[in-house]
Short mmCIF file of all heavy atoms in Angstrom, two decimals:
data_model
loop_
_atom_site.label_atom_id
_atom_site.label_comp_id
_atom_site.label_asym_id
_atom_site.label_seq_id
_atom_site.Cartn_x
_atom_site.Cartn_y
_atom_site.Cartn_z
N MET A 273 225.35 309.38 4.53
CA MET A 273 226.60 308.64 4.75
C MET A 273 227.59 308.93 3.62
O MET A 273 227.19 309.05 2.48
CB MET A 273 226.30 307.13 4.83
CG MET A 273 227.50 306.31 5.24
SD MET A 273 227.12 304.54 5.25
CE MET A 273 226.05 304.43 6.68
N ALA A 274 228.85 309.01 3.98
CA ALA A 274 229.85 309.30 2.96
C ALA A 274 229.91 308.17 1.93
O ALA A 274 229.83 307.00 2.30
CB ALA A 274 231.21 309.48 3.61
N PRO A 275 230.04 308.50 0.67
CA PRO A 275 230.04 307.46 -0.38
C PRO A 275 231.12 306.40 -0.16
O PRO A 275 230.90 305.23 -0.43
CB PRO A 275 230.32 308.25 -1.66
CG PRO A 275 229.83 309.63 -1.34
CD PRO A 275 230.11 309.84 0.13
N TYR A 276 232.27 306.82 0.33
CA TYR A 276 233.34 305.83 0.48
C TYR A 276 233.01 304.83 1.59
O TYR A 276 233.38 303.66 1.51
CB TYR A 276 234.69 306.51 0.71
CG TYR A 276 234.94 306.96 2.13
CD1 TYR A 276 235.62 306.11 3.01
CD2 TYR A 276 234.53 308.21 2.59
CE1 TYR A 276 235.86 306.51 4.31
CE2 TYR A 276 234.77 308.60 3.88
CZ TYR A 276 235.43 307.76 4.75
OH TYR A 276 235.67 308.14 6.04
N LEU A 277 232.27 305.28 2.60
CA LEU A 277 231.87 304.35 3.66
C LEU A 277 230.91 303.30 3.12
O LEU A 277 230.98 302.13 3.46
CB LEU A 277 231.21 305.11 4.81
CG LEU A 277 232.15 305.68 5.85
CD1 LEU A 277 231.36 306.43 6.92
CD2 LEU A 277 232.96 304.56 6.50
N THR A 278 230.02 303.72 2.26
CA THR A 278 229.09 302.78 1.63
C THR A 278 229.86 301.74 0.84
O THR A 278 229.56 300.55 0.89
CB THR A 278 228.12 303.54 0.72
OG1 THR A 278 227.49 304.57 1.46
CG2 THR A 278 227.05 302.60 0.16
N ALA A 279 230.88 302.19 0.12
CA ALA A 279 231.67 301.27 -0.69
C ALA A 279 232.42 300.28 0.20
O ALA A 279 232.50 299.09 -0.10
CB ALA A 279 232.67 302.05 -1.55
N VAL A 280 232.96 300.76 1.31
CA VAL A 280 233.68 299.88 2.23
C VAL A 280 232.74 298.84 2.80
O VAL A 280 233.05 297.65 2.86
CB VAL A 280 234.34 300.70 3.35
CG1 VAL A 280 234.84 299.77 4.46
CG2 VAL A 280 235.48 301.53 2.79
N MET A 281 231.56 299.25 3.19
CA MET A 281 230.60 298.31 3.77
C MET A 281 230.15 297.28 2.74
O MET A 281 230.02 296.10 3.05
CB MET A 281 229.39 299.06 4.32
CG MET A 281 229.73 299.84 5.58
SD MET A 281 228.31 300.72 6.23
CE MET A 281 227.31 299.35 6.81
N ALA A 282 229.94 297.72 1.51
CA ALA A 282 229.53 296.79 0.46
C ALA A 282 230.63 295.77 0.21
O ALA A 282 230.37 294.57 0.04
CB ALA A 282 229.23 297.56 -0.83
N THR A 283 231.88 296.22 0.23
CA THR A 283 233.01 295.31 0.04
C THR A 283 233.06 294.28 1.16
O THR A 283 233.25 293.09 0.92
CB THR A 283 234.33 296.10 -0.01
OG1 THR A 283 234.25 297.04 -1.07
CG2 THR A 283 235.50 295.18 -0.24
N MET A 284 232.87 294.72 2.39
CA MET A 284 232.92 293.80 3.51
C MET A 284 231.80 292.77 3.44
O MET A 284 231.99 291.60 3.76
CB MET A 284 232.85 294.57 4.83
CG MET A 284 234.12 295.35 5.11
SD MET A 284 234.04 296.25 6.66
CE MET A 284 234.12 294.88 7.82
N LEU A 285 230.63 293.19 3.00
CA LEU A 285 229.52 292.25 2.87
C LEU A 285 229.84 291.18 1.83
O LEU A 285 229.53 290.02 2.01
CB LEU A 285 228.24 293.00 2.47
CG LEU A 285 227.56 293.76 3.59
CD1 LEU A 285 226.39 294.56 3.03
CD2 LEU A 285 227.06 292.81 4.66
N HIS A 286 230.48 291.60 0.75
CA HIS A 286 230.84 290.63 -0.28
C HIS A 286 231.91 289.67 0.19
O HIS A 286 232.01 288.56 -0.30
CB HIS A 286 231.30 291.37 -1.55
CG HIS A 286 230.18 292.05 -2.26
ND1 HIS A 286 230.33 293.25 -2.91
CD2 HIS A 286 228.89 291.70 -2.42
CE1 HIS A 286 229.17 293.61 -3.43
NE2 HIS A 286 228.27 292.69 -3.15
N LEU A 287 232.73 290.11 1.13
CA LEU A 287 233.82 289.26 1.61
C LEU A 287 233.35 288.32 2.71
O LEU A 287 234.06 287.39 3.06
CB LEU A 287 234.97 290.12 2.13
CG LEU A 287 235.66 290.96 1.05
CD1 LEU A 287 236.75 291.82 1.68
CD2 LEU A 287 236.25 290.10 -0.04
N LYS A 288 232.17 288.56 3.23
CA LYS A 288 231.65 287.68 4.26
C LYS A 288 230.97 286.49 3.59
O LYS A 288 230.15 286.66 2.69
CB LYS A 288 230.65 288.44 5.14
CG LYS A 288 230.18 287.64 6.34
CD LYS A 288 229.25 288.50 7.18
CE LYS A 288 228.73 287.71 8.37
NZ LYS A 288 227.76 288.49 9.16
N ARG A 289 231.33 285.31 4.04
CA ARG A 289 230.80 284.11 3.39
C ARG A 289 230.28 283.13 4.45
O ARG A 289 230.95 282.90 5.45
CB ARG A 289 231.90 283.45 2.57
CG ARG A 289 231.39 282.89 1.27
CD ARG A 289 232.49 282.36 0.45
NE ARG A 289 233.29 283.39 -0.19
CZ ARG A 289 234.29 283.12 -1.01
NH1 ARG A 289 234.62 281.89 -1.26
NH2 ARG A 289 234.97 284.08 -1.56
N VAL A 290 229.11 282.58 4.21
CA VAL A 290 228.50 281.66 5.18
C VAL A 290 228.60 280.24 4.66
O VAL A 290 228.23 279.95 3.52
CB VAL A 290 227.03 282.05 5.44
CG1 VAL A 290 226.39 281.07 6.41
CG2 VAL A 290 226.94 283.47 5.95
N CYS A 291 229.09 279.35 5.50
CA CYS A 291 229.21 277.95 5.14
C CYS A 291 227.82 277.34 4.93
O CYS A 291 226.94 277.51 5.77
CB CYS A 291 229.95 277.21 6.25
SG CYS A 291 229.98 275.43 6.02
N PRO A 292 227.61 276.64 3.80
CA PRO A 292 226.29 276.04 3.54
C PRO A 292 225.98 274.87 4.47
O PRO A 292 224.83 274.46 4.60
CB PRO A 292 226.39 275.59 2.08
CG PRO A 292 227.84 275.39 1.84
CD PRO A 292 228.55 276.39 2.72
N LYS A 293 227.00 274.33 5.11
CA LYS A 293 226.79 273.14 5.94
C LYS A 293 226.56 273.50 7.40
O LYS A 293 225.60 273.05 8.02
CB LYS A 293 227.99 272.21 5.80
CG LYS A 293 227.81 270.88 6.51
CD LYS A 293 228.99 269.97 6.21
CE LYS A 293 228.84 268.63 6.92
NZ LYS A 293 229.98 267.73 6.65
N CYS A 294 227.47 274.31 7.98
CA CYS A 294 227.37 274.59 9.41
C CYS A 294 226.98 276.03 9.70
O CYS A 294 226.87 276.41 10.85
CB CYS A 294 228.70 274.25 10.10
SG CYS A 294 230.04 275.39 9.70
N ARG A 295 226.79 276.83 8.64
CA ARG A 295 226.34 278.23 8.77
C ARG A 295 227.38 279.12 9.44
O ARG A 295 227.04 280.22 9.89
CB ARG A 295 225.02 278.33 9.54
CG ARG A 295 223.94 277.38 9.04
CD ARG A 295 223.62 277.55 7.57
NE ARG A 295 222.99 278.85 7.31
CZ ARG A 295 222.70 279.29 6.09
NH1 ARG A 295 223.00 278.60 5.04
NH2 ARG A 295 222.12 280.45 5.92
N HIS A 296 228.61 278.66 9.56
CA HIS A 296 229.65 279.51 10.12
C HIS A 296 229.98 280.62 9.13
O HIS A 296 230.20 280.36 7.95
CB HIS A 296 230.90 278.68 10.42
CG HIS A 296 232.07 279.51 10.84
ND1 HIS A 296 232.19 280.01 12.11
CD2 HIS A 296 233.15 279.95 10.15
CE1 HIS A 296 233.31 280.70 12.18
NE2 HIS A 296 233.92 280.70 11.02
N ALA A 297 229.99 281.85 9.63
CA ALA A 297 230.33 282.98 8.77
C ALA A 297 231.79 283.31 8.92
O ALA A 297 232.32 283.39 10.03
CB ALA A 297 229.49 284.19 9.15
N GLN A 298 232.45 283.48 7.80
CA GLN A 298 233.86 283.86 7.82
C GLN A 298 234.06 285.02 6.86
O GLN A 298 233.30 285.21 5.92
CB GLN A 298 234.74 282.69 7.41
CG GLN A 298 234.53 282.23 5.97
CD GLN A 298 235.54 281.17 5.56
OE1 GLN A 298 236.71 281.30 5.80
NE2 GLN A 298 235.04 280.10 4.95
N VAL A 299 235.09 285.80 7.11
CA VAL A 299 235.44 286.90 6.22
C VAL A 299 236.62 286.44 5.37
O VAL A 299 237.65 286.03 5.90
CB VAL A 299 235.79 288.17 7.01
CG1 VAL A 299 236.23 289.28 6.05
CG2 VAL A 299 234.58 288.63 7.81
N VAL A 300 236.45 286.51 4.06
CA VAL A 300 237.47 286.06 3.13
C VAL A 300 238.34 287.24 2.73
O VAL A 300 237.84 288.35 2.52
CB VAL A 300 236.80 285.44 1.88
CG1 VAL A 300 237.84 284.99 0.87
CG2 VAL A 300 235.90 284.28 2.29
N ALA A 301 239.62 287.00 2.64
CA ALA A 301 240.54 288.06 2.20
C ALA A 301 240.14 288.55 0.81
O ALA A 301 239.68 287.78 -0.03
CB ALA A 301 241.97 287.54 2.17
N ALA A 302 240.31 289.83 0.59
CA ALA A 302 239.91 290.42 -0.69
C ALA A 302 240.60 289.74 -1.86
O ALA A 302 240.01 289.58 -2.93
CB ALA A 302 240.23 291.91 -0.69
N SER A 303 241.83 289.30 -1.64
CA SER A 303 242.57 288.65 -2.72
C SER A 303 242.00 287.28 -3.07
O SER A 303 242.31 286.72 -4.11
CB SER A 303 244.05 288.52 -2.33
OG SER A 303 244.16 287.75 -1.14
N ARG A 304 241.16 286.73 -2.18
CA ARG A 304 240.59 285.40 -2.41
C ARG A 304 239.09 285.44 -2.65
O ARG A 304 238.41 284.42 -2.59
CB ARG A 304 240.89 284.48 -1.22
CG ARG A 304 242.37 284.32 -0.96
CD ARG A 304 242.64 283.08 -0.16
NE ARG A 304 242.23 281.88 -0.89
CZ ARG A 304 242.17 280.67 -0.37
NH1 ARG A 304 242.49 280.49 0.89
NH2 ARG A 304 241.80 279.65 -1.08
N ARG A 305 238.56 286.61 -2.92
CA ARG A 305 237.10 286.74 -3.00
C ARG A 305 236.51 285.94 -4.18
O ARG A 305 235.34 285.63 -4.17
CB ARG A 305 236.72 288.21 -3.13
CG ARG A 305 237.23 288.86 -4.39
CD ARG A 305 236.89 290.32 -4.43
NE ARG A 305 237.61 290.97 -5.54
CZ ARG A 305 237.45 292.24 -5.87
NH1 ARG A 305 236.62 292.98 -5.19
NH2 ARG A 305 238.14 292.75 -6.85
N ARG A 306 237.31 285.64 -5.18
CA ARG A 306 236.81 284.86 -6.33
C ARG A 306 237.15 283.38 -6.21
O ARG A 306 236.85 282.61 -7.11
CB ARG A 306 237.38 285.41 -7.64
CG ARG A 306 236.89 286.81 -7.94
CD ARG A 306 237.59 287.37 -9.17
NE ARG A 306 237.34 288.81 -9.32
CZ ARG A 306 236.27 289.32 -9.92
NH1 ARG A 306 235.37 288.51 -10.43
NH2 ARG A 306 236.10 290.61 -10.01
N ASP A 307 237.78 282.99 -5.12
CA ASP A 307 238.17 281.59 -4.94
C ASP A 307 237.20 280.87 -4.02
O ASP A 307 236.55 281.49 -3.19
CB ASP A 307 239.57 281.51 -4.32
CG ASP A 307 240.63 282.12 -5.22
OD1 ASP A 307 240.40 282.19 -6.45
OD2 ASP A 307 241.68 282.52 -4.70
N THR A 308 237.14 279.56 -4.17
CA THR A 308 236.43 278.75 -3.20
C THR A 308 237.34 278.55 -1.99
O THR A 308 238.50 278.17 -2.14
CB THR A 308 236.07 277.39 -3.81
OG1 THR A 308 235.16 277.61 -4.89
CG2 THR A 308 235.40 276.49 -2.78
N VAL A 309 236.80 278.85 -0.81
CA VAL A 309 237.60 278.71 0.40
C VAL A 309 237.00 277.62 1.29
O VAL A 309 235.80 277.34 1.22
CB VAL A 309 237.68 280.04 1.18
CG1 VAL A 309 238.37 281.12 0.35
CG2 VAL A 309 236.31 280.50 1.61
N ALA A 310 237.83 276.99 2.10
CA ALA A 310 237.35 275.95 2.99
C ALA A 310 236.83 276.56 4.28
O ALA A 310 237.41 277.49 4.82
CB ALA A 310 238.47 274.98 3.29
N CYS A 311 235.72 276.02 4.77
CA CYS A 311 235.19 276.45 6.05
C CYS A 311 236.17 276.06 7.15
O CYS A 311 236.64 274.92 7.20
CB CYS A 311 233.84 275.78 6.28
SG CYS A 311 233.19 276.06 7.93
N PRO A 312 236.52 276.97 8.04
CA PRO A 312 237.48 276.65 9.11
C PRO A 312 236.93 275.69 10.15
O PRO A 312 237.68 275.10 10.91
CB PRO A 312 237.80 278.02 9.72
CG PRO A 312 236.61 278.85 9.42
CD PRO A 312 236.08 278.37 8.08
N ILE A 313 235.61 275.54 10.20
CA ILE A 313 235.00 274.68 11.21
C ILE A 313 234.85 273.25 10.69
O ILE A 313 235.28 272.30 11.32
CB ILE A 313 233.62 275.24 11.62
CG1 ILE A 313 233.74 276.69 12.06
CG2 ILE A 313 233.00 274.36 12.72
CD1 ILE A 313 234.64 276.91 13.24
N CYS A 314 234.21 273.09 9.53
CA CYS A 314 233.90 271.75 9.04
C CYS A 314 234.64 271.41 7.74
O CYS A 314 234.45 270.35 7.19
CB CYS A 314 232.39 271.60 8.85
SG CYS A 314 231.72 272.64 7.53
N ARG A 315 235.43 272.35 7.25
CA ARG A 315 236.26 272.14 6.04
C ARG A 315 235.46 271.93 4.78
O ARG A 315 235.98 271.44 3.78
CB ARG A 315 237.24 270.98 6.26
CG ARG A 315 238.21 271.24 7.40
CD ARG A 315 239.19 270.11 7.56
NE ARG A 315 240.10 270.38 8.68
CZ ARG A 315 241.21 271.07 8.58
NH1 ARG A 315 241.56 271.58 7.41
NH2 ARG A 315 241.97 271.26 9.63
N THR A 316 234.21 272.28 4.79
CA THR A 316 233.41 272.22 3.57
C THR A 316 233.84 273.35 2.65
O THR A 316 234.00 274.48 3.10
CB THR A 316 231.91 272.37 3.91
OG1 THR A 316 231.51 271.28 4.71
CG2 THR A 316 231.07 272.43 2.64
N PRO A 317 234.03 273.07 1.36
CA PRO A 317 234.37 274.16 0.43
C PRO A 317 233.21 275.14 0.31
O PRO A 317 232.06 274.72 0.12
CB PRO A 317 234.60 273.42 -0.90
CG PRO A 317 234.81 272.00 -0.55
CD PRO A 317 234.03 271.75 0.72
N VAL A 318 233.50 276.40 0.46
CA VAL A 318 232.48 277.44 0.36
C VAL A 318 232.76 278.24 -0.91
O VAL A 318 233.76 278.95 -0.97
CB VAL A 318 232.49 278.36 1.59
CG1 VAL A 318 231.31 279.33 1.53
CG2 VAL A 318 232.44 277.54 2.87
N PRO A 319 231.90 278.12 -1.92
CA PRO A 319 232.15 278.83 -3.17
C PRO A 319 231.87 280.32 -3.02
O PRO A 319 231.12 280.73 -2.14
CB PRO A 319 231.15 278.18 -4.14
CG PRO A 319 230.03 277.72 -3.28
CD PRO A 319 230.67 277.32 -1.96
N PRO A 320 232.46 281.12 -3.92
CA PRO A 320 232.18 282.56 -3.89
C PRO A 320 230.73 282.82 -4.26
O PRO A 320 230.13 282.03 -4.99
CB PRO A 320 233.15 283.14 -4.92
CG PRO A 320 233.45 281.99 -5.84
CD PRO A 320 233.38 280.76 -4.99
N PRO A 321 230.17 283.92 -3.77
CA PRO A 321 228.78 284.25 -4.11
C PRO A 321 228.64 284.53 -5.59
O PRO A 321 229.55 285.07 -6.22
CB PRO A 321 228.47 285.49 -3.26
CG PRO A 321 229.81 286.07 -2.94
CD PRO A 321 230.77 284.91 -2.88
N LYS A 322 227.50 284.18 -6.16
CA LYS A 322 227.25 284.40 -7.59
C LYS A 322 226.72 285.81 -7.79
O LYS A 322 225.59 286.11 -7.42
CB LYS A 322 226.24 283.37 -8.10
CG LYS A 322 226.69 281.95 -7.90
CD LYS A 322 225.65 280.98 -8.49
CE LYS A 322 225.98 279.55 -8.15
NZ LYS A 322 225.57 279.21 -6.78
N ARG A 323 227.56 286.69 -8.39
CA ARG A 323 227.11 288.04 -8.68
C ARG A 323 227.72 288.50 -9.96
O ARG A 323 228.87 288.26 -10.18
CB ARG A 323 227.51 288.99 -7.57
CG ARG A 323 226.83 288.57 -6.28
CD ARG A 323 226.43 289.73 -5.43
NE ARG A 323 225.83 289.22 -4.19
CZ ARG A 323 225.27 290.00 -3.28
NH1 ARG A 323 225.21 291.26 -3.47
NH2 ARG A 323 224.76 289.48 -2.21
ZN1 ZN B 507 231.25 274.83 7.84
#
């Protein structure tokens, strides 16, 4: 696989966030990847992954 495709996929995985309460998965904008975002379903704050 081309290296840039691997990088794109890794970025998308990091931007995907699962709500701890309702398990809804959402994709967070790259500009907000370090912010806590609210779940669109139950409005629970979803913190960024710890890495
Ligand atoms: Zn939720």
Side-chain angles (χ1 to χ4, degrees):
M273 187 182 289
Y276 81 93
L277 274 179
T278 306
V280 168
M281 288 180 70
T283 301
M284 289 180 71
L285 283 175
H286 289 144
L287 295 178
K288 187 177 178 183
R289 218 175 285 183
V290 178
C291 172
K293 186 175 180 181
C294 70
R295 310 303 293 175
H296 173 78
Q298 64 173 314
V299 177
V300 179
S303 60
R304 300 201 63 190
R305 63 183 170 176
R306 295 174 191 275
D307 297 337
T308 296
V309 298
C311 172
I313 306 299
C314 67
R315 298 182 181 273
T316 297
V318 186
K322 302 182 187 80
R323 298 216 182 186

